[in-house]
Amino acid sequence: MAVGEITNLSCENLTISVPGRRLIDSLKIEVVKGEFIAVLGPNGVGKSLALHTLAGIRPAETGSIKLNGKNLDEHSRHQISLNLALLPQYTEDIFPATVLDTVMIGRHPHIGRFQWETPADREIAEDSLRQVDLGDFRDRDVLTLSGGERRRLAVAQILTQSPGTYLLDEPTNHLDPQHQLDVLKIFRQKSDAGDAVLASLHDVNLAARFADRCLLLYGDGRWEIGLTGDVLTCEALSELYATAIESVPWRDTNLFVASG
């Protein structure tokens, strides 16, 4: 797939640390229009912290971040929410609300302070629910949903936001195999249509199937980014996950299997 040339989100010299440990050192990455990048690495290497930093939720130790060519800290939070959406790893509902009311939260950046949602806003929300197979759940209380259903609702909420750039922290969390594929197909279609997607994943084979490029985070400051077919090798993945990874033939491609 030919990736676009317009950069939606970029960072340079981005360093992320936790007490006593530098996780990511001098990261430089550009997420361009029409691209899906998968972020891979074992637990604790900074995948979530990187996404939260790129979203402007936590400060970077060093470096700069640009959204649509402008420094992130020069955007208001409202401007950021119009152009960028973050799907966190975990979401929690404290108060009862309907599924439709919850997904409509995604339209808030597009609705003026003293305005109400329009029929067009509601149609966008209902279409997002249909995309994640929750179209018949619109009147359900979110507190009655299973973990997987709630995860799909969170996906629908950021689809309703229609930002142009998506940061996804383990979007397949809690999902059964079919819904994992369905959700990643949605974002693959989004990137094919011109949006930018950066998603942390634990399943290497899903990354190989859906991502244009992969960012490998080693947790000791090192990182590597490149075309999916170039960086996803048995040697690189074995080092990344500190266990033996083998490649086995499957249909017209290969699957990566942990054999350690």
Side-chain angles (χ1 to χ4, degrees), residues 27-50:
L27 177 65
K28 181 178 181 179
I29 183 174
E30 293 185 350
V31 189
V32 302
K33 190 177 181 68
E35 184 175 34
F36 189 127
I37 298 178
V39 184
L40 299 174
N43 295 331
V45 298
K47 298 187 298 296
S48 296
L49 291 177

Side-chain angles (χ1 to χ4, degrees), residues 173-220:
N173 222 6
H174 301 302
L175 299 185
D176 58 66
Q178 184 58 59
H179 284 114
Q180 289 182 19
L181 292 174
D182 290 343
V183 164
L184 292 180
K185 285 177 182 177
I186 288 171
F187 288 106
R188 178 69 263 178
Q189 291 166 358
K190 285 288 184 184
S191 61
D192 288 343
D195 289 336
V197 178
L198 183 65
S200 68
L201 298 173
H202 274 301
D203 191 318
V204 174
N205 292 303
L206 289 177
R209 179 170 177 177
F210 289 99
D212 300 300
R213 290 193 291 160
C214 289
L215 171 64
L216 309 185
L217 300 180
Y218 290 88
D220 57 3

